[in-house]
Amino acid sequence: MHIREATAADRTAILEIILPIIRDGTTYALDRDMSEDEALSYWTESGKETFVAEEEGQILGTYFLRANQAGGGRHVCNCGYMTRTSATGRGVARAMCEHSLRHAVSKGYRAMQFNFVISTNERAVRLWQSLGFEIVGRLPEAFEHPTQGYVDALVMHRRL
Amino acid sequence: MHIREATAADRTAILEIILPIIRDGTTYALDRDMSEDEALSYWTESGKETFVAEEEGQILGTYFLRANQAGGGRHVCNCGYMTRTSATGRGVARAMCEHSLRHAVSKGYRAMQFNFVISTNERAVRLWQSLGFEIVGRLPEAFEHPTQGYVDALVMHRRL
């Protein structure tokens, strides 16, 4: 699996990956009805570096990395990762997170923080924990899950 | 003290309040060097409702209220409050927070969350606690304080 910076030519593949996850609405606090342009803008907007994970010519996942706060908070970065639905269970998210941790170190960040990990997304919580992230906050009933109602969201953090 | 929605006529007063606090850089994770236009845009941008606290014709403080997340997270709101430096200690922040809690209820929000309360801002932490907020997260060394170095930031939360 090769992880590299996204280019304009990856637009279609990125949308194929992120739109079903946004429409599903169970793992990200994003407007489920956002347009393709809004979705792509969100994922690739100014201030974010966007990467894709490629294997045998197919894009299997994508992530962004950005400073989580401005000013005195800019030494902590934040990432979002999405794996192509058909490629789940193949270690794509793990590979992207490992890549992002290395990239964050190379950019001088001191920590990585996830602001809003949905507690019912147990696969993700376990994966981040296995990569050294700790739960540093629990936001009670902060996410309205489409089928499970109000569930907690977690703040997860890892020093670099 | 009268708290009301901000209008275009409040532009100068809002800038008089927020610019010194942004330049100071000890309580908000914002670019200390941002321009006046950037500062005003940040405080009044689309998606935020902006209010001012007025007493005898002078604007003593200002706050914004917005949804803290989109999609499944939009039932939780977030606020930022700033008091005119010369008016600290007169209950302006408390009055604005009480106003924002009532306003948030009227808009149907189920909770209010502060994402990044600098731990060294003890006056604010105590005030929010006295208004029913609990610390639900601690972000280790998430803020580089201009004089105190890396200090924790707190996530604070109150049900409505």
Side-chain angles (χ1 to χ4, degrees), chain B residues 11 21 30 35 42 49-50 52-53 64 92 108 110 116 118 130-131 139 142 144:
Chain B
R11 175 194 162 93
I21 295 170
L30 295 172
S35 69
Y42 168 75
E49 295 178 89
T50 307
V52 292
F64 68 75
V92 180
R110 295 170 53 98
F116 208 80
I118 313 304
S130 79
L131 287 163
L139 315 174
E144 187 175 12

Side-chain angles (χ1 to χ4, degrees), chain B residues 84-98:
Chain B
R84 188 183 289 271
T85 306
S86 59
T88 52
R90 289 168 54 180
V92 180
R94 174 180 293 273
M96 290 194 293
C97 186
E98 288 171 342

Side-chain angles (χ1 to χ4, degrees), chain A:
Chain A
M1 198 178 312
H2 176 58
I3 298 174
R4 58 166 174 81
E5 276 195 61
T7 71
D10 299 313
R11 174 195 162 93
T12 302
I14 290 174
L15 277 173
E16 286 172 358
I17 294 168
I18 69 176
L19 271 182
I21 294 170
I22 292 169
R23 300 278 182 258
D24 174 62
T26 61
T27 53
Y28 274 79
L30 296 171
D31 176 6
R32 295 169 71 181
D33 300 323
M34 65 166 62
S35 69
E36 293 192 2
D37 281 350
E38 288 168 332
L40 199 71
S41 292
Y42 168 75
W43 203 253
T44 63
E45 66 195 346
S46 166
K48 288 177 179 164
E49 295 178 88
T50 307
F51 296 83
V52 292
E54 192 172 30
E55 194 174 68
E56 295 178 2
Q58 198 191 17
I59 308 297
L60 301 184
T62 177
Y63 83 86
F64 67 75
L65 185 148
R66 61 169 173 174
N68 199 40
Q69 300 281 348
R74 68 180 162 238
H75 59 285
V76 179
C77 66
N78 166 254
C79 292
Y81 312 85
M82 291 192 184
T83 299
R84 188 182 289 271
T85 307
S86 60
T88 52
R90 288 167 55 180
V92 180
R94 174 179 293 273
M96 290 194 294
C97 186
E98 288 170 344
H99 185 275
S100 69
L101 290 165
R102 289 192 301 273
H103 185 70
V105 168
S106 78
K107 300 282 282 189
Y109 286 108
R110 294 169 55 97
M112 187 179 290
Q113 181 181 316
F114 303 149
N115 301 311
F116 209 79
V117 181
I118 315 302
S119 58
T120 48
N121 190 1
E122 292 172 12
R123 178 200 287 257
V125 175
R126 277 196 306 270
L127 176 57
W128 307 147
Q129 286 176 321
S130 79
L131 286 164
F133 287 83
E134 291 176 21
I135 296 170
V136 296
R138 176 175 284 267
L139 315 175
E141 300 188 353
F143 185 70
E144 187 174 13
H145 190 285
T147 58
Q148 300 187 53
Y150 292 104
V151 299
D152 294 351
L154 308 175
V155 184
M156 301 189 72
H157 179 277
R158 184 195 195 280
R159 290 178 196 271
L160 299 176

